[in-house]
């Protein structure tokens, strides 16, 4: 039996136009940062590691001036991955796999706390990150302070069934970043799709609007259409990456989401 838990990674306040490319700047919104713990009989999988815990006390020091200005954190000290895992009685060494949806700061900030886990990352994501480390300037800004640690990164090419039983499947959703991925989980009767930033909110999916921050619009559009099909044709329950309204309704750890 597989169980899924939603972990609070805190709240960030940002301009709505970042989420919807057809809107003018000027309206602030507050959105959740979410990580997930999937408990599978053969090991626990952490999906994303959130924002680094240091950022709450010292946003400029951790995120830099530019990002600290664009994204204001409204998190309690316990809204970070280690405190959230502790709510489930878990320590970092209890995690077998960490899945990074992508290398933006709000998805890989806690990577360094899992030195014994195997990290599953799509190959194009790591290739772009390595180019940036080598000094290239890309339209993509992965966050080296967060991902560039001596961790066991395993590269994945496209769809990947983590345990070989169809219960935890990584689904490539490229476009937001070069190698973004989402996760499909079958937990009992639940069929969940954790989109991460392939779809920030339900509104993005329903109105078919892309965010302003992205790598490849055509690719992201295809990924969004594929996720919509899973929801509307296959009946999957979609958990959006940063949807404030949905977050209000979700069961959070230590209660299971599914
Ligand atoms: Zn994000």
């Amino acid at each position: 039996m597989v169980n899924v838990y939603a972990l609070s990674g805190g709240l960030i306040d940002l301009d709505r136009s970042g989420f919807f490319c057809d809107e003018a700047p000027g309206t602030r919104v507050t959105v959740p940062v979410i990580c997930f713990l999937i408990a599978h009989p053969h090991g626990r999988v952490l999906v994303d590691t959130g924002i680094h815990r240091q950022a709450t006390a010292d946003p400029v020091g951790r995120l830099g001036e530019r990002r600290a200005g664009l994204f204001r954190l409204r998190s309690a000290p316990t809204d970070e991955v280690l405190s959230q895992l502790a709510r489930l009685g878990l320590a970092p060494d209890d995690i077998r796999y960490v899945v990074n949806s992508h290398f933006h700061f709000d998805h890989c900030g806690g990577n360094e706390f899992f030195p014994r886990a195997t990290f599953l990352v799509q190959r194009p994501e790591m290739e772009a990150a390595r180019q940036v480390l080598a000094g290239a300037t890309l339209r993509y800004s992965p966050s080296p302070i967060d991902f560039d640690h001596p961790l066991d990164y395993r590269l994945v090419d496209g769809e990947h069934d983590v345990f070989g039983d169809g219960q935890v499947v990584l689904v490539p959703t490229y476009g937001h970043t070069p190698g973004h991925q989402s996760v499909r989980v079958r937990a009992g009767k639940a069929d969940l799709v954790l989109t991460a930033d392939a779809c920030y909110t339900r509104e993005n999916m329903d109105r078919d609007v892309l965010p302003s921050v992205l790598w490849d619009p055509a690719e992201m559009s295809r990924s969004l259409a594929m996720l919509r099909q899973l929801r509307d044709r296959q009946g999957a329950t979609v958990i959006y990456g940063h949807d404030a309204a949905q977050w209000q309704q979700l069961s959070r750890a230590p209660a299971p989401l599914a």
Side-chain angles (χ1 to χ4, degrees):
M1 176 64 187
V2 171
N3 284 298
V4 184
Y5 302 86
L7 312 180
S8 170
L11 299 170
I12 45 180
D13 165 306
L14 46 80
D15 199 283
R16 239 184 89 88
S17 62
F19 270 29
F20 305 98
C21 66
D22 59 352
E23 292 194 13
T27 308
R28 304 291 292 186
V29 285
T30 302
V31 303
V33 172
I34 315 172
C35 308
F36 299 90
L37 189 277
I38 304 169
H40 182 281
H42 294 154
R44 296 183 188 86
V45 181
L46 177 65
V47 179
D48 284 335
T49 61
I51 299 173
H52 194 283
R53 61 195 311 182
Q54 181 201 333
T56 319
D58 181 14
V60 175
R62 181 71 200 186
L63 307 179
E65 293 265 3
R66 192 187 66 86
R67 279 190 309 201
L70 284 174
F71 309 105
R72 296 215 191 93
L73 304 190
R74 308 217 180 281
S75 308
T78 54
D79 288 331
E80 55 85 31
V81 70
L82 299 182
S83 307
Q84 294 289 311
L85 287 175
R87 286 191 177 179
L88 295 167
L90 299 175
D93 287 358
D94 295 319
I95 305 302
R96 180 169 174 195
Y97 293 108
V98 176
V99 173
N100 282 134
S101 61
H102 63 303
F103 283 149
H104 277 151
F105 76 100
D106 55 324
H107 296 264
C108 62
N111 277 17
E112 67 173 281
F113 300 120
F114 300 90
R116 297 177 66 174
T118 297
F119 284 70
L120 303 175
V121 176
Q122 291 285 328
R123 185 179 303 276
E125 189 71 12
M126 185 56 91
E127 283 174 353
R130 284 181 180 145
Q131 284 181 47
V132 168
L133 286 179
T137 310
L138 305 181
R139 274 179 298 112
Y140 172 39
S141 329
S143 183
I145 191 178
D146 293 318
F147 74 78
D148 188 20
H149 299 283
L151 299 167
D152 179 17
Y153 285 111
R154 303 269 173 92
L155 302 188
V156 171
D157 293 294
E159 191 167 299
H160 177 72
D161 183 342
V162 176
F163 296 103
D165 60 5
Q167 295 195 95
V168 183
V169 179
L170 311 186
V171 180
T173 42
Y174 302 167
H176 176 63
T177 63
H180 188 283
Q181 61 185 345
S182 304
V183 183
R184 188 169 189 181
V185 190
R186 281 158 179 111
K189 288 186 182 152
D191 179 4
L192 298 178
V193 177
L194 314 175
T195 67
D197 290 2
C199 185
Y200 283 149
T201 69
R202 180 183 183 107
E203 186 176 345
N204 290 94
M205 188 174 280
D206 289 351
R207 287 209 290 122
D208 198 17
V209 183
L210 297 180
S212 315
V213 177
L214 45 63
W215 168 255
D216 181 330
E219 189 87 48
M220 188 166 184
S221 229
R222 277 194 291 277
S223 295
L224 183 58
M226 183 275 291
L227 292 169
R228 189 184 298 107
Q229 275 219 343
L230 295 182
R231 185 188 73 174
D232 296 346
R233 301 248 178 102
Q234 296 193 32
T237 300
V238 167
I239 310 292
Y240 305 97
H242 293 284
D243 189 312
Q246 185 181 47
W247 180 240
Q248 291 303 319
Q249 310 295 326
L250 289 186
S251 301
R252 303 173 196 177
L257 176 63

